[in-house]
Amino acid sequence: PRALLAGLAQQRVVLDVASNLLEQFPLEVTKLAGFVVADNPVWILHWDRAGLLPDGLPGSLVKQIPNVKYMNLDQLLMETLPSEFFGLERLRNLFAPRNSIASLPAGFDRMVSLEFINLGTNRLSHIPDTLGWPPRLRHLSLFNNNLTALPTSIFELPLERIAVQGNHLSMLAAGLFEVRSLKKVVASRNRLEVLPSAVGRLRRLAQLFVSSNRISALPTQLGRLRALVNLTVANNMIRTLPTELGRLAALRFLNVSANRLEGIPPEIRRLQRCRIIV
């Protein structure tokens, strides 16, 4: 019970719950003097307030939770990811936004089960191309950082979603469009002037967000994205839309508001199931 844990915390008690069948631990456990959770099928370990991390983290904790699959380190004033975390070979989701992380240490590739990384709203300005990544990574969030380029090493991953909005990207690297597994790309609020024609290679792409950039034209190759459901290009400098967008039968949402459009081509208006925001 949470009330019991609160009382134990005041008495500086060490809680030992090793070798049980626990899958989740309440936030109150982090207020204890110490806790041992080894040999449990831990699914979730969650902290979301600064100052609640117990003494001895991260090294001692990693030894206690080798089976953890989800770790929430939101808003903990962290300046880097401790290398000890990379020993969590069963971790699937690493959620560490709203910190002060400015660099990433080598070792990500040791987290062989990791599929989701959220490092949004940190202080990353550069990620080395040589940095290794988890081989199964499918979702990567790097939004609201200070990146001017994406590391080329991520283009070798089986990514399905990438979120890089709110950075300082002036272009989307060619390698991004070789990641044929991509289904969602969010690159709004950057400094993009061009959406490359190579975007037409992403045949599985269902959602594309490039609002609040400096894009003046859309490539005709967008018409090849037959899986595209949502195209959001609001607040750019676009004057005309390619008629090839009219081929996108799956398109349900097209946001072209706050541009310099002279009109919507009839080929696009014929998309009866598509909601168009001008």
Side-chain angles (χ1 to χ4, degrees):
R2 295 178 183 273
L4 174 61
L5 288 174
L8 294 177
Q10 295 178 358
Q11 300 176 42
R12 301 297 292 171
V13 168
V14 174
L15 179 65
D16 187 339
V17 292
S19 300
N20 281 281
L21 297 174
L22 300 172
E23 295 186 354
Q24 185 170 350
F25 293 90
L27 185 63
E28 285 79 2
V29 78
T30 63
K31 299 180 181 179
L32 298 172
F35 60 100
V36 180
V37 298
D39 299 319
N40 280 285
V42 185
W43 270 90
I44 299 176
L45 201 61
H46 179 98
W47 295 285
D48 60 1
R49 298 179 186 176
L52 290 182
L53 287 173
D55 294 339
L57 270 175
S60 61
L61 176 65
V62 171
K63 295 178 182 178
Q64 298 175 42
I65 54 169
N67 298 323
V68 70
K69 296 178 175 65
Y70 177 98
M71 182 172 287
N72 187 330
L73 303 169
D74 181 20
Q75 204 171 356
L76 292 175
L77 306 179
M78 300 172 64
E79 296 183 357
T80 187
L81 286 176
S83 58
E84 288 87 349
F85 284 172
F86 301 147
L88 297 172
E89 296 182 356
R90 298 186 183 183
L91 192 68
R92 295 181 185 175
N93 296 270
L94 177 59
F95 190 77
R98 296 190 295 178
N99 282 287
S100 300
I101 298 172
S103 62
L104 299 178
F108 264 128
D109 51 346
R110 292 169 49 198
M111 307 175 81
V112 294
S113 299
L114 201 60
E115 298 181 359
F116 180 102
I117 296 177
N118 186 332
L119 295 170
T121 314
N122 276 285
R123 298 181 180 178
L124 295 169
S125 59
H126 175 71
I127 301 176
D129 291 337
T130 56
L131 183 70
W133 295 87
R136 299 181 183 178
L137 193 63
R138 297 186 296 116
H139 298 179
L140 177 60
S141 293
L142 298 169
F143 58 85
N144 295 345
N145 277 280
N146 300 307
L147 295 171
T148 57
L150 299 178
T152 58
S153 51
I154 68 172
F155 304 146
E156 301 175 3
L157 299 171
L159 290 175
E160 295 180 6
R161 299 182 182 182
I162 184 168
V164 292
Q165 68 269 32
N167 280 282
H168 304 306
L169 303 175
S170 59
M171 61 177 293
L172 295 177
L176 180 66
F177 305 106
E178 300 300 327
V179 186
R180 306 301 173 89
S181 54
L182 277 171
K183 297 179 180 178
K184 182 176 182 179
V185 174
V186 185
S188 300
R189 293 186 288 110
N190 277 284
R191 301 173 181 177
L192 305 177
E193 296 184 0
V194 175
L195 182 61
S197 60
V199 69
R201 299 175 184 170
L202 302 179
R203 300 303 176 89
R204 297 183 182 181
L205 194 64
Q207 300 183 71
L208 176 60
F209 299 83
V210 288
S211 292
S212 300
N213 281 288
R214 304 169 183 175
I215 299 171
S216 59
L218 296 179
T220 60
Q221 288 80 1
L222 282 173
R224 300 176 183 174
L225 303 181
R226 301 305 171 87
L228 197 62
V229 174
N230 187 327
L231 176 60
T232 298
V233 294
N235 195 26
N236 277 285
M237 304 170 67
I238 301 169
R239 292 186 178 276
T240 61
L241 297 176
T243 58
E244 286 79 3
L245 294 182
R247 301 174 184 172
L248 303 179
L251 196 64
R252 296 292 179 271
F253 187 84
L254 174 62
N255 188 342
V256 293
S257 61
N259 276 282
R260 302 176 181 180
L261 290 175
E262 300 171 357
I264 304 295
E267 292 87 349
I268 298 175
R269 290 195 178 278
R270 294 192 189 107
L271 296 172
Q272 298 181 354
R273 299 182 179 181
C274 181
R275 180 189 177 191
I276 303 175
I277 298 180
V278 181

